[in-house]
Amino acid sequence: MIKFILIVSVVCASMSAHASFEERSRRYLSGHELLMTIQSLLPAYQSYENTECHSLVELNRNFLGDSQALTGEPISVGPNQNFVQWLNQCVSKSLEHMGLLDIVDGFMFNEKTDNLIGPEGIAYLQSKKNNPTSSVLAIPGVFVDRLVVEDPLFIEKLVEHQVKFFLGSDETIRDFGLIQDPKAYRAELVKNILSKKDLNFKQAIIRLTVQMMLRDEFLSY
Amino acid sequence: MRILFFSLISLFVMTAMGVEPAQLETSAIKLSKALRGIPLSVKERQELAQAIQAGQGEQQYQKFIQAFLQTDQFRYKLKVKVDELVRVRTEINQNPEQRDYDNYQDNGLYLGAYDYVVRDVISQNQSWDQLLLAHEYRFQKHAVPRGDTYHDQSFFSVASGISQSDGTMEDLQNLQSYEWTFKENQVKFEESDERIAGILTTPRFMHRYVNTALNKSRRRASAVFRIFLCDSMMAAIPPTDAASEKSDFDMIFPHNGTETEQQIKERFADPHGTQADCMSCHYKLDPMGQVFGFSSAGLAPSPTPGALRYKSLSQGKVDIAVNGVRGLAKTITQQQDYVRCQVNHFWNWYVGKDFPKSEKRTLELMSKFDEVGRKPKDFIAYLVTSSEFRSKPQILNENQILARRAGSILKNCFDCHRNQNRNDEIRDWDLTEFPYKGDLQQRQGQIEMLVNELDLTGDGSKKTMPPKSSVWKLSDDQHQILKRWVEQGAPDYDGKPQVNP
C-alpha cells in the first residue's frame, strides 16, 4: 500500500455547502474542476475504458465532492480514502497509457510530458541517449525499466520540478502554511523514493504525481 | 489603472492592519482556481515571473483577472454555482472528447431556457437581476433531456401559440417574435408581460419545484425566498415580550412532540395553513405561492395576483401586492434584502464563508454591487482585488475552527430566534455573531443560557432547545462541539475566549 502524504484539516460535518468539498478553512476544487484539471495536466487515454476518470458518474460522484441537487450540500466534505484510491488509479492508468515509457526504443515528448518531468529532467534524459539508431522521432533512450537508484540525480530534478509545478515556488508553498521548509520537504521526498530499491522511473513518476495531486496546496485555494 | 491603484492601496491597508498579504504568485494561483477552477498554466506562470521581475507584477495580476473572466471555464464554474443555488444538476457532456463549453451540438445534451438565461447573464455580463427579469429565451429543440420530462418548446408553445410540429407562428398578445432554427429556438416576450420572469418561468425551475394540490406552489415560493432573499424558511418566532415568551413557544410548537399528526388534525378544525403555529411560515409563502399557481406543463395564459410579504431585519415589515411572476420578480430586485443576499452569495463563492465580514463591510459591498450595475464580472473583479481575497491562506488554530463550527450550529437556532431581535426588551442577540455584545458579565449570562437550554453540562438528554417538534435536531456530535466550545471559553472567530473557560 503506497503511503501518501495527505495534509487535510480535521473534517467535521459542515452545516453549509457549495460546489466542492468544503471544510471550514479552505475550499477544494469541485468534482468537475478536478476532472478538468487532471485532464489538462495528464496525457489522455481512451475514454471508453476509463469513464470514471474523465467524468462525474455515479461511481465517483460521492467522493469527488459533487453536491446533491436536493440540498446543495457536498456529499463528502473533503478528500477521503476513496478519493485517494480513485486518484491513484486514474493517474496510474493515464501514465501507463502515455505511450512514453512503454516504447522500448525511445519516446515522444509533448507539453504534458513537460508538465510531469520538466525541462531539466528532459535535458538530463536527453544526455543519457544510448540508442542513436532509433527510428522514433524525438529523443531515444530506454527508461522503462531503469531503476531510480541508478539515477538519483534524475529523481532530484524530477522532485524539484514537480513540487514547483504542482505546489508553486518556495514562497508560495510557505505562504500556504502547511510546509514551513520546502527544501527539507523536497529532500524527504527524494529520500522516500530512493528508499524503494525496486522502483523504476515510470513508477516513480506515477508515485510522485499522485502525491503532488493529493496535497491541499494543489487541491484547494 | 483605477483598479491597480485600489489594489495597491488595499495591500498597504492590509499590512497596516496586520493581515498578511499573500505573495503575488500565491494570489495568482488562487485567482486562477477561484475564477476558472484550474491552476495557472506553465506559460502563465512564466509570464507572471517575468512581470514580477520587471516590477509589473500587479499589472499582470490585473491582466489575469480580465483574461480569466472571459474564459469558458469561468462561465461554466459560475453557472455550476448558480445551479447549486437553485439546486438543479448541471448538465455537462460526459464524453470528454466532445466536451465543449460553448457548443453542445449533436451530443444529446439539452440546453434549455434556464441554462441559456444563466449563461447569458454570466457571459454577456448582464445585470444579475436578469436572472429574474429576462424576457427572451433560447432553447434547443427536439432533444430529449436526460432523466427529466421538461420540454421548453411545449412549455412556451402553450401560451404563445407556437406549433410544436411545423414551427409556424400564430400571433398572440404580447408575443414579440419567434424564430425557428434547426438547432436553437428563440422566443421573445414583451418586457411588460407580467407572466415572464427569467429563470422562474422556465420549465427547469417549474419542474424542479413542482406544484401540487397540497403545496399550492409554496414549494416554489420557498425556493424563491431561499435563493433570492436568503430566507431559509425556518419557523420564525415572532417578536414577543418576556411575559408571553413561553406561550409563544407553545404556539409555534404546540404539541412539542407529544401528539400524533392525526391527533393534531382532529384538534384543529381549520385547515392547515391558517393556524397560528403554521402562520410563521405561511404568512410569507401563501401570498407568493399564489403568483405561481399554474401548471408546469405550460406558461400561464394570464398573470395571477399575489404579494411579497415577509419581515425584514433591516426594513421591517414588507407587504407589497404584485401582479404575476414578473411583478413579484421586479419587486424582489428592489429590496435591499435581495441585494444583501446576492452579495453574500458572491462573497461566499469567491472570498469564502471562513472570512467573516462586518455589517459595515456588507454595506460597502452592497453599495459596490449597485455601483457596478449588479454585473457579475465587474463585481467579481472587485472581490478578487479585495484585501480579503488577497490575504494569506488562513491556517486556523483549534479554537478558531471550534468557533466556526459552533457558529454554524448556532445558526440553526438563530434562524428561529432571529425575529426576536426586533424586540429590544428581550435581546439584541445574533447567536452567530462573535464576540457577543456587552461586558463580560452579560456575555457570561448569554453563554449560561445556552448551557442550560442545551444541557451542555450533561449529556443533552435534559435540553429544552430545540423544541421536540422542531425540524432541526441537535445531534450528539453537535452537542459535543458546543460543549467543547463552552469549555474553551466560547472562543470567537479569532480564537479568543469570550468568557472565562
Side-chain angles (χ1 to χ4, degrees):
Chain A
M1 179 73 171
I2 297 174
K3 290 180 188 169
F4 298 102
I5 301 171
L6 177 64
I7 310 292
V8 178
S9 300
V10 173
V11 173
C12 179
S14 172
M15 302 308 291
S16 57
H18 283 287
S20 48
F21 295 123
E22 183 167 290
E23 216 281 312
R24 272 292 133 195
S25 61
R26 59 186 86 247
R27 288 158 296 285
Y28 290 95
L29 296 174
S30 71
H32 286 299
E33 288 160 1
L34 277 169
L35 291 168
M36 275 194 316
T37 300
I38 290 169
Q39 283 162 42
S40 69
L41 294 175
L42 297 182
Y45 52 95
Q46 293 299 325
S47 58
Y48 61 80
E49 291 177 2
N50 295 289
T51 308
E52 69 197 63
C53 294
H54 277 290
S55 310
L56 273 185
V57 291
E58 290 312 312
L59 201 65
N60 60 22
R61 198 181 286 281
N62 285 0
F63 53 77
L64 280 182
D66 195 27
S67 58
Q68 308 165 72
L70 184 65
T71 61
E73 310 234 346
I75 300 165
S76 299
V77 294
N80 55 26
Q81 188 57 38
N82 288 333
F83 174 80
V84 171
Q85 287 175 353
W86 170 85
L87 185 69
N88 185 38
Q89 175 207 337
C90 290
V91 171
S92 302
K93 280 186 182 171
S94 169
L95 295 185
E96 278 166 10
H97 282 76
M98 193 161 52
L100 166 66
L101 298 172
D102 285 339
I103 300 173
V104 176
D105 294 312
F107 42 83
M108 298 283 288
F109 287 115
N110 57 31
E111 185 190 339
K112 290 182 177 174
T113 322
D114 291 353
N115 290 344
L116 296 180
I117 301 176
E120 283 198 28
I122 291 172
Y124 180 81
L125 293 178
Q126 288 173 351
S127 71
K128 293 288 183 178
K129 165 178 157 178
N130 59 12
N131 188 357
T133 61
S134 169
S135 59
V136 177
L137 291 175
I139 312 302
V142 179
F143 295 100
V144 175
D145 299 316
R146 194 175 182 86
L147 298 179
V148 298
V149 291
E150 298 179 68
D151 255 314
L153 191 55
F154 173 69
I155 298 302
E156 284 176 23
K157 291 186 187 306
L158 181 71
V159 164
E160 187 166 341
H161 167 75
Q162 283 219 355
V163 168
K164 188 166 183 182
F165 178 74
F166 284 102
L167 308 189
S169 64
D170 284 5
E171 291 79 18
T172 300
I173 291 171
R174 274 191 284 266
D175 251 359
F176 206 91
L178 294 176
I179 299 173
Q180 301 308 323
D181 188 347
K183 193 175 171 187
Y185 172 69
R186 282 192 293 271
E188 188 61 35
L189 276 178
V190 170
K191 187 178 160 191
N192 183 268
I193 291 173
L194 291 177
S195 67
K196 310 284 187 288
K197 304 277 183 231
D198 54 351
L199 204 67
N200 64 33
F201 271 30
K202 182 170 76 174
Q203 290 166 339
I205 293 173
I206 292 172
R207 172 188 285 255
L208 193 59
T209 304
V210 172
Q211 283 200 24
M212 291 296 103
M213 285 185 165
L214 285 174
R215 298 279 323 172
D216 267 13
E217 290 91 339
F218 178 74
L219 291 174
S220 68
Y221 57 97
Chain B
M1 212 41 210
R2 193 171 67 167
I3 294 176
L4 171 61
F5 174 73
F6 281 121
S7 68
L8 288 170
I9 292 291
S10 69
L11 284 174
F12 173 75
V13 169
M14 277 166 61
T15 313
M17 286 168 58
V19 178
E20 275 194 83
Q23 298 284 337
L24 202 48
E25 185 187 338
T26 307
S27 294
I29 291 173
K30 183 179 177 183
L31 179 76
S32 181
K33 287 180 182 174
L35 293 189
R36 301 185 302 182
I38 53 175
L40 287 177
S41 67
V42 171
K43 188 178 167 202
E44 284 161 351
R45 287 193 202 196
Q46 286 167 350
E47 279 174 13
L48 181 65
Q50 283 163 7
I52 291 172
Q53 247 186 343
Q56 305 276 316
E58 275 303 324
Q59 285 90 328
Q60 185 61 43
Y61 184 82
Q62 301 305 324
K63 278 186 194 166
F64 277 156
I65 293 175
Q66 296 309 318
F68 294 168
L69 287 174
Q70 307 308 319
T71 58
D72 292 339
Q73 289 95 332
F74 163 75
R75 188 202 64 215
Y76 171 74
K77 189 174 166 85
L78 185 50
K79 170 138 192 317
V80 169
K81 292 194 188 304
V82 174
D83 287 348
E84 286 173 350
L85 186 60
V86 179
R87 293 190 186 161
V88 293
R89 177 65 57 78
T90 301
E91 296 288 344
I92 184 166
N93 191 340
Q94 295 287 8
N95 184 342
E97 289 169 12
Q98 291 180 356
R99 188 166 297 155
D100 184 335
Y101 295 102
D102 241 349
N103 192 344
Y104 287 81
Q105 290 184 32
D106 300 324
N107 53 29
L109 196 67
Y110 181 76
L111 277 188
Y114 162 87
D115 298 298
Y116 276 113
V117 168
V118 178
R119 278 156 59 100
D120 287 348
V121 165
I122 297 170
S123 58
Q124 295 171 19
N125 202 26
Q126 298 172 359
S127 165
W128 197 247
D129 295 353
Q130 285 297 104
L131 290 179
L132 286 170
L133 300 178
H135 56 94
E136 298 177 11
Y137 296 106
R138 291 183 289 152
F139 49 89
Q140 292 179 341
K141 84 175 187 70
H142 289 318
V144 177
R146 269 203 321 268
D148 286 301
T149 57
Y150 59 84
H151 199 302
D152 290 76
Q153 190 168 327
S154 58
F155 180 82
F156 290 112
S157 69
V158 167
S160 64
I162 300 167
S163 165
Q164 294 186 53
S165 58
D166 60 8
T168 55
M169 182 182 75
E170 296 171 16
D171 286 338
L172 204 72
Q173 187 181 8
N174 291 334
L175 180 65
Q176 257 195 0
S177 69
Y178 176 77
E179 293 170 18
W180 181 278
T181 64
F182 181 70
K183 296 227 165 60
E184 201 178 88
N185 290 348
Q186 195 172 34
V187 179
K188 294 182 185 178
F189 294 91
E190 292 284 348
E191 197 176 341
S192 56
D193 191 333
E194 283 165 332
R195 302 169 300 163
I196 306 298
I199 63 171
L200 301 185
T201 46
T202 58
R204 195 89 190 268
F205 183 84
M206 289 283 151
H207 278 85
R208 175 62 182 84
Y209 300 100
V210 176
N211 182 18
T212 65
L214 182 63
N215 78 42
K216 298 191 176 97
S217 284
R218 294 183 194 116
R219 204 175 186 189
R220 289 171 186 165
S222 170
V224 170
F225 269 109
R226 179 180 55 76
I227 297 165
F228 295 106
L229 294 168
C230 292
D231 186 335
S232 63
M233 301 308 295
M234 292 289 281
I237 300 168
T240 183
D241 56 73
S244 57
E245 191 176 285
K246 186 177 181 316
S247 64
D248 285 336
F249 277 109
D250 288 342
M251 178 182 75
I252 301 294
F253 305 102
H255 48 91
N256 211 18
T258 57
E259 293 183 13
T260 64
E261 192 173 334
Q262 187 59 34
Q263 286 171 322
I264 295 167
K265 280 181 182 169
E266 285 166 2
R267 189 151 59 83
F268 290 111
D270 293 331
H272 173 75
T274 62
Q275 290 304 301
D277 58 336
C278 308
M279 287 310 286
S280 55
C281 286
H282 278 277
Y283 85 95
K284 294 187 271 194
L285 292 176
D286 289 15
M288 187 186 283
Q290 284 160 15
V291 306
F292 285 107
F294 54 93
S295 166
S296 43
L299 198 58
S302 56
T304 321
L308 175 65
R309 189 178 297 156
Y310 67 98
K311 291 190 186 75
S312 162
L313 281 177
S314 54
Q315 297 168 233
K317 189 177 169 188
V318 174
D319 189 357
I320 304 170
V322 299
N323 191 33
V325 191
R326 189 169 192 80
L328 172 71
K330 257 200 219 163
T331 307
I332 287 174
T333 59
Q334 291 161 356
Q335 305 308 310
Q336 283 300 295
D337 290 305
Y338 161 78
V339 177
R340 178 185 293 262
C341 178
Q342 302 314 301
V343 159
N344 280 343
H345 289 325
F346 280 103
W347 179 270
N348 292 339
W349 289 337
Y350 290 98
V351 181
K353 283 192 201 54
D354 54 304
F355 222 112
K357 55 180 173 12
S358 62
E359 178 64 12
K360 184 180 167 199
R361 183 64 173 133
T362 302
L363 292 172
E364 278 172 11
L365 292 168
M366 287 166 64
S367 173
K368 188 68 188 175
F369 190 58
D370 280 333
E371 190 186 308
V372 299
R374 303 184 181 181
K375 293 180 180 177
K377 285 186 183 175
D378 294 354
F379 189 62
I380 291 166
Y382 169 75
L383 284 178
V384 298
T385 330
S386 69
S387 53
E388 292 94 344
F389 184 86
R390 299 282 301 266
S391 63
K392 267 192 179 181
Q394 283 187 293
I395 305 294
L396 304 175
N397 63 34
E398 191 185 330
N399 273 358
Q400 288 170 326
I401 294 176
L402 200 53
R404 281 154 175 77
R405 287 172 184 165
S408 73
I409 297 169
L410 292 170
K411 184 179 181 312
N412 293 286
C413 312
F414 183 57
D415 279 344
C416 266
H417 286 274
R418 62 195 303 160
N419 276 0
Q420 289 184 307
N421 289 341
R422 300 282 299 146
N423 186 333
D424 291 335
E425 285 182 15
I426 294 296
R427 58 186 72 88
D428 180 16
W429 184 18
D430 180 347
L431 286 91
T432 64
E433 194 176 317
F434 304 150
Y436 292 148
K437 295 187 178 105
D439 58 25
L440 177 63
Q441 197 177 358
Q442 285 169 315
R443 291 199 298 273
Q444 196 80 44
Q446 289 163 339
I447 301 295
E448 274 172 16
M449 192 184 303
L450 283 177
V451 168
N452 292 336
E453 297 287 348
L454 299 175
D455 188 23
L456 293 180
T457 51
D459 60 2
S461 56
K462 293 180 186 156
K463 63 179 184 285
T464 52
M465 282 289 140
K468 285 180 187 168
S469 57
S470 165
V471 170
W472 172 66
K473 311 280 182 217
L474 187 70
S475 69
D476 289 340
D477 285 344
Q478 290 168 336
H479 182 264
Q480 288 302 315
I481 289 168
L482 288 176
K483 196 169 176 175
R484 224 167 46 238
W485 176 66
V486 169
E487 284 167 358
Q488 296 298 318
D492 60 18
Y493 294 117
D494 290 329
K496 293 179 202 149
Q498 300 182 72
V499 296
N500 299 323

